[in-house]
């Protein structure tokens, strides 16, 4: 799509940066993205319904704790992340 300028719409994981307004701005979100000669262009979504934002936000916090655990080699942070994970 970039090389031949053939527009393509995909759902991609990108930095939030205001795309979903009621989720942490420094997190990764999945939104519709247009890909063409200008590269990847994520689309602004706005606000999620409250209940959906709450679920997404809690998952994002769990991933933050897991990253902290890996960066600092902290068993305590890893345990907290696991306790927050609804699938654990």
């Amino acid at each position: 799509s970039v090389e031949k300028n053939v527009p393509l719409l995909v759902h991609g994981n990108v930095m939030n940066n205001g795309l979903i307004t009621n989720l942490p701005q420094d997190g990764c979100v999945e939104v519709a993205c247009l890909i063409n000669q200008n590269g990847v262009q994520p689309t602004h979504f706005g606000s999620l319904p409250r209940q959906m934002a709450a679920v997404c936000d809690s998952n994002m916090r769990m991933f933050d704790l897991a990253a902290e655990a890996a960066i600092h080699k902290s068993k305590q942070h890893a345990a907290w992340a696991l306790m927050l994970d609804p699938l654990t």
Side-chain angles (χ1 to χ4, degrees):
S1 292
V2 173
E3 294 295 322
K4 296 183 179 183
N5 192 28
V6 177
L8 177 67
L9 184 66
V10 299
H11 285 83
N13 294 309
V14 295
M15 290 300 295
N16 190 6
N17 295 327
L19 299 172
I20 299 179
T21 55
N22 57 345
L23 289 180
Q25 297 306 298
D26 63 344
C28 179
V29 295
E30 184 174 322
V31 295
C33 299
L34 173 64
I35 304 174
N36 61 19
Q37 69 184 8
N38 297 319
V40 178
Q41 302 157 67
T43 58
H44 181 267
F45 185 85
S47 292
L48 290 173
R50 283 180 159 186
Q51 70 278 13
M52 292 175 73
V55 170
C56 291
D57 187 66
S58 67
N59 283 327
M60 293 171 85
R61 301 300 174 197
M62 183 270 299
F63 291 127
D64 286 345
L65 278 171
E68 288 288 321
I71 292 166
H72 299 293
K73 298 179 182 173
S74 168
K75 289 181 183 179
Q76 183 64 65
H77 282 86
W80 289 335
L82 288 170
M83 286 184 239
L84 284 177
D85 185 353
L87 300 177
T88 300

